[in-house]
Amino acid sequence: MVIVAASARTARPLWPDLPALTSSFGHGLNVVNVALVDLRGWDTLGELTVVVAAATGVASLIFVKSREDTLPRLRDMPAGVANGDDRADGEPRAWLPTSAAIPTGRSALLDIVVRLLFHGLVVLSLYLLFAGHNSAGGGFAGGLVAGIALAARYLAGGPAELGAAAPIRAGRLLGLGVATAAVTAIVPMVAGKEALYSEFFEATVPVLGHVEFVTATFFDIGVYLVVVGLVLDVLRSLGAEVDRQRIEDRRTPAADTMEGTNA
């Protein structure tokens, strides 16, 4: 059906005009990113709501009692571990502050490599976010790179390491991302413009030189936050919450056996 429908086209396709529209209408050079956040911004805004709904659906299937964030935080750990002090028994503190939460089953090599790469990946994701309007990147690409960094932290240290890497709740990131994209669409209407209207600014900065800025970047920031929130929510539900339930299932039979013995 797709082949027949495509071969039955009689009108001139739009794709040859996209590079010119990207430059003149979207004030950018990256055709894909400008199309996502400017030329077809309404479609992208709808896709963001679908992503949030999917993340909520996945979490609702995993969390049995409550959807509250169960990731361990550094502030919930012993004071010496959270503050980086030496441990009470006189041993020097671990290089990774969450290593005390999972004393066995961790690879020191993986811990070190992930810790060295994590901040560089976060900086790279921010670069892709802000450079995506004119070069390779964008909110989706930057969010995926940040998600890879979070996934690496979880693989290296489990829920405790993920909680240390992402102190903010996934639901707040998802809501903030959708709200940022929605506000970007509504604000132009207040000024008498069309929804999702983009304004273009350029200036010469002493250190950076000639700088161009498009207000559609705020929409891209919303996309970035939603993608990061989705990855964090999936890691939290399909990873950390499943680990917690498995640990509880292991402890329950042991507790029942002890109660039966005492009886």
Side-chain angles (χ1 to χ4, degrees):
M1 292 177 61
V2 173
I3 294 175
V4 172
S7 60
R9 183 195 302 268
T10 58
R12 178 177 176 272
L14 182 63
W15 65 264
D17 300 329
L18 283 179
L21 288 174
T22 300
S23 178
S24 61
F25 183 78
H27 301 284
L29 301 177
N30 187 345
V31 176
V32 175
N33 189 68
V34 173
L36 289 176
V37 302
D38 201 330
L39 301 180
R40 50 183 289 264
W42 279 117
D43 188 20
T44 304
L45 183 59
E47 291 173 356
L48 293 183
T49 61
V50 172
V51 168
V52 174
T56 304
V58 170
S60 64
L61 293 175
I62 301 299
F63 287 87
V64 177
K65 299 179 181 179
S66 174
R67 200 186 183 282
E68 290 296 324
D69 196 342
T70 57
L71 288 178
R73 308 295 184 186
L74 286 179
R75 62 175 180 270
D76 300 327
M77 296 180 183
V81 178
N83 297 330
D85 301 331
D86 291 347
R87 297 193 322 202
D89 55 6
E91 296 182 6
R93 65 180 177 88
W95 187 55
L96 296 180
T98 62
S99 59
I102 307 178
T104 59
R106 295 181 62 170
S107 169
L109 178 60
L110 182 60
D111 279 347
I112 295 174
V113 171
V114 169
R115 183 55 64 92
L116 291 175
L117 294 178
F118 176 75
H119 297 89
L121 288 175
V122 173
V123 173
L124 175 61
S125 71
L126 294 175
Y127 168 79
L128 293 175
L129 167 63
F130 291 103
H133 207 70
N134 292 300
S135 59
F140 280 106
L144 288 177
V145 172
I148 291 173
L150 293 175
R153 290 288 290 266
Y154 172 73
L155 293 175
E161 191 70 17
L162 180 62
I168 187 172
R169 295 183 178 182
R172 294 179 180 176
L173 279 178
L174 291 170
L176 181 60
V178 174
T180 302
V183 169
T184 306
I186 295 173
V187 167
M189 300 176 62
V190 178
K193 304 289 185 178
E194 296 180 355
L196 283 172
Y197 175 82
S198 298
E199 195 68 44
F200 176 75
F201 302 96
E202 57 181 342
T204 301
V205 181
V207 178
L208 300 177
H210 184 72
V211 177
E212 299 178 353
F213 180 79
V214 183
T215 55
T217 303
F218 293 110
F219 189 91
D220 223 9
I221 293 175
V223 175
Y224 177 89
L225 294 175
V226 168
V227 174
V228 175
L230 171 65
V231 175
L232 180 59
D233 206 15
V234 170
L235 290 174
R236 185 176 65 94
S237 56
L238 296 181
E241 179 63 14
V242 173
D243 292 340
R244 186 188 66 81
Q245 293 181 15
R246 185 173 65 249
I247 293 175
E248 287 186 355
D249 292 340
R250 290 177 180 176
R251 291 176 179 175
T252 300
D256 295 341
T257 303
M258 294 181 62
E259 291 180 0
T261 303
N262 295 332

